[in-house]
């Protein structure tokens, strides 16, 4: 089992920044892919960004490219999502996920955190 705990959400004005953290514990050796997803009210959960614990390959949704950066600290078993130039449409519940591969497909992630709310005011 892998446990994921997100933190760092909050309320920010448009144009501002937030950094989300996802601390992983348990059998993290069984996962290589770490992803961030988000879900706004009335919408499906959508892919935001992903990367592996090893290597430098990263994937981003088109809507966040150039504004969001996913990074990791292997020593702390923590993945981060730096979010800059935030827009009201970025408002959502953000989830961290872990799985065996780096992928944009949510069904391929086996473990999920409880999520953290991000609200961007206009």
């Amino acid at each position: 089992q892998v446990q994921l705990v997100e933190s760092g959400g909050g309320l920010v004005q448009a144009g501002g920044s937030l950094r989300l953290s996802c601390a992983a514990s348990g059998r993290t050796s069984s996962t290589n892919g770490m992803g961030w997803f988000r879900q706004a009210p009335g919408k499906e959960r959508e892919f935001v960004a992903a990367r592996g614990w090893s290597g430098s390959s990263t994937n981003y949704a088109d809507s966040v490219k150039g504004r969001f950066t996913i990074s990791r600290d292997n020593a702390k078993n923590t993945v981060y999502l730096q979010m800059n130039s935030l827009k009201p449409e970025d408002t959502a519940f953000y989830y961290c996920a872990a799985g065996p591969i780096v992928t944009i497909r949510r069904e391929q992630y086996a473990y999920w955190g409880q999520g953290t709310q991000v609200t961007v005011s206009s």
Side-chain angles (χ1 to χ4, degrees), residues 25 43 72-73 81:
S25 60
K43 295 188 177 181
R72 71 184 190 274
D73 183 333
L81 185 68

Side-chain angles (χ1 to χ4, degrees), residues 4 19-22 24 28 30-37 47-61 64 68-75 77-82 95-105 108-111:
L4 304 172
R19 188 178 79 158
L20 305 183
S21 300
C22 174
T28 56
S30 66
T31 64
N32 184 54
M34 297 296 296
W36 285 98
F37 290 77
F47 170 76
V48 175
R51 73 169 302 153
W53 287 114
S54 60
S56 60
S57 176
T58 56
N59 291 322
Y60 294 97
V64 306
F68 290 12
T69 303
I70 186 171
S71 62
R72 71 184 190 274
D73 183 333
N74 287 13
N77 277 351
T78 299
V79 174
Y80 304 97
L81 185 68
Q82 178 65 45
Y95 296 91
C96 176
I101 62 173
V102 181
T103 176
I104 67 172
R105 301 180 64 175
Q108 294 185 300
Y109 287 92
Y111 305 101

Side-chain angles (χ1 to χ4, degrees), residues 3 7 22 26 29 40 55 60 100 102 106 114 121:
Q3 294 78 43
S7 61
C22 174
S29 61
Y60 294 97
V102 181
R106 65 185 185 193
Q114 82 287 353
S121 63

